[in-house]
Amino acid sequence: MLTRRALLLHTGVLMLAGCAGLAEGPPPFAVSAPQAIMIPAQRAHTAFQGGRQVSGINRFEPWCELEIRTVSEQPQRVEAGRFAVRRVTQAFIRDYNTRAPALLGGIGCSDLVFQETTWWLEPQPGAPVTWLRCLAPYTHCRFGPPLSLAQTQAVVGPGLKIEVIEPPR
């Protein structure tokens, strides 16, 4: 068992390590939708887990959510396209709905916590997509990094394609 002090130190190191790779300027990534994606009625996002689009998630396994700007009474269609990533943010959170920081109020080894990575997508005319958010769950005081590019691709499957693009010179 980790002591509270060791747990805080370990978490701080993980958070700093997660931010260390972020460079100036837009990241060299894009998210592509090879086919149209349907967003369910009454929602502003759809979830991906286990390599496919899902209607519900298992919070003990990694998942991603593609978010759009609006909620509608009817299902909404995101047309196929390529969305440049304008920035990437990471957070260590305890609640994926409220995004409460993991260290707010302390955590115990039986608490479920998440490494969250948000890929903020460049706005495009006619494309309501805002971000792709991916969560890596951890518990039992075994914390790890956010999802890698390969892990993210495995989570979203063929419904989305994570691309590394050449930065402009």
Side-chain angles (χ1 to χ4, degrees), residues 80-97:
R82 185 174 194 222
F83 310 98
V85 175
R86 62 185 165 120
R87 70 185 165 123
V88 177
T89 58
Q90 296 178 335
F92 186 51
I93 60 175
R94 71 177 320 145
D95 184 309
Y96 55 88
N97 288 319

Side-chain angles (χ1 to χ4, degrees), residues 49-148:
Q49 191 170 50
R52 61 188 177 88
Q53 190 174 358
V54 294
S55 59
I57 56 108
N58 172 350
R59 64 189 183 124
F60 294 96
E61 296 293 327
W63 80 93
C64 296
E65 298 171 340
L66 182 68
E67 182 86 8
I68 62 173
R69 287 191 273 280
T70 57
V71 174
S72 173
E73 297 288 325
Q74 304 299 320
Q76 298 178 79
R77 183 180 174 102
V78 175
E79 295 299 333
R82 185 174 194 222
F83 310 98
V85 175
R86 62 185 165 120
R87 70 185 165 123
V88 177
T89 58
Q90 296 178 335
F92 186 51
I93 60 175
R94 71 177 320 145
D95 184 309
Y96 55 88
N97 288 319
T98 65
R99 299 194 65 249
L103 298 179
L104 186 63
I107 56 175
C109 286
S110 61
D111 293 330
L112 189 60
V113 293
F114 306 91
Q115 286 283 4
E116 174 194 66
T117 302
T118 304
W119 305 55
W120 297 90
L121 304 175
E122 195 64 49
Q124 295 180 1
V129 175
T130 57
W131 46 254
L132 176 67
R133 175 174 87 138
C134 296
L135 295 117
Y138 292 99
T139 189
H140 303 297
C141 287
R142 294 187 181 145
F143 307 118
L147 297 176
S148 69

Side-chain angles (χ1 to χ4, degrees), residues 2-64:
L2 292 174
T3 66
R4 181 176 170 86
R5 184 175 174 186
L7 180 61
L8 289 172
L9 178 63
H10 181 73
T11 302
V13 168
L14 281 175
M15 288 172 34
L16 288 174
C19 295
L22 301 179
E24 293 294 321
F29 305 115
V31 175
S32 294
Q35 300 176 3
I37 296 173
M38 296 304 292
I39 307 295
Q42 306 293 327
R43 314 240 24 213
H45 68 268
T46 189
F48 294 85
Q49 191 170 50
R52 61 188 177 88
Q53 190 174 358
V54 294
S55 59
I57 56 108
N58 172 350
R59 64 189 183 124
F60 294 96
E61 296 293 327
W63 80 93
C64 296

